[in-house]
Amino acid sequence: MKRLLAAALLGCVAFGTNALAQAEIARTTMPAPPQTGVIALQVAGCDPASEVWHPDGGKPAVRNVTCPTLLPFLPKAGATGATVIVAPGGGFLGLAIEKEGYEIARWLAEHGVAAFVLKYRTLPTPKDQGVFVDELTKLIHGQPSSMKLPDDTPDIAREDGLAALRLVRANAAKFGVDPARLGFMGFSAGGFLSRTMVLADKADRPAFTAPIYPNMAPLAVAADAPPMFVAIAQDDFLLAREKGFPLIESYRAAGRPIEFHLFPSGGHGFGIGAPGTPEEGWIELLYKWMRTSGFLTKAK
């Protein structure tokens, strides 16, 4: 798992899929972008000054998150009442928050689905961006590094995911959403977190989950587990470590609804999907799945 997450860092923590090979790992920081309407998830040890914002392929990314938040993207018209919490990836050492958060949330809101981008707590990394890049490079190459990787979803991320679900449900009327149609989706490490939400107590589970290029290992799927949508590319390294599709088979064995899309290429970290690529339009498939599964209409 540590080797798996180290590989994920190359595509998701900060710098683009081929960044290391191209010697283009960013050593610069940037101001935090405007976050109008952000909602704090109250936790002990919150220190806003700990955050380091930096470019990720020209898009904002953040690390050293100690103050979890939700940023709402609410539909301006055509609201369906459905809502999704969106968890960006980044190996739990940072968050590709624009590419795998804001961009996804904007698309959903434009299609009538309320979205909340979850900035969950991440593991500590060096404050200095240059030192971080040096330590990250060592980590990727399997050399001794001051940074460590988790075996799976850290407790702090799990706690933030659960807190996000509880907050949106408790304030559903305020946000104009149906608490019975609240989903949870995530990318890479956020996909790990999405899997973890499936294992939560029944009262806390989302109505549906959508892990995108997640850990594809087996999962203990309950007989009443929420429906799941999965998308991943055939050349994603996360598939190389598994024989077959254990996550999918876990859902099938439990008799729970699952829709699975395997794209012929795209690697790891394709985000919303670039035009002209096989994974282009996967989010439209997600939207169709939500519609045909009944999540875009209120139950009678």
Side-chain angles (χ1 to χ4, degrees), residues 7 25 29 49 65 108 114 131 157 162 180 258 294:
I25 296 179
T29 60
V65 176
L108 291 168
V131 174
L162 292 173
I258 186 163

Side-chain angles (χ1 to χ4, degrees), residues 56 66 75 83 124 137 140 142 153 162 166 181 229 239 241 244 251 261 265 268 270 280 291 299:
D56 175 356
T66 61
T83 185
T137 302
I140 291 171
T153 303
L162 292 173
R166 292 166 185 164
R181 292 185 285 139
F229 175 100
L239 284 179
R241 63 185 295 272
Y251 252 74
H261 293 274
S265 62
H268 188 79
F270 52 70
E280 177 187 7
R291 175 171 55 80

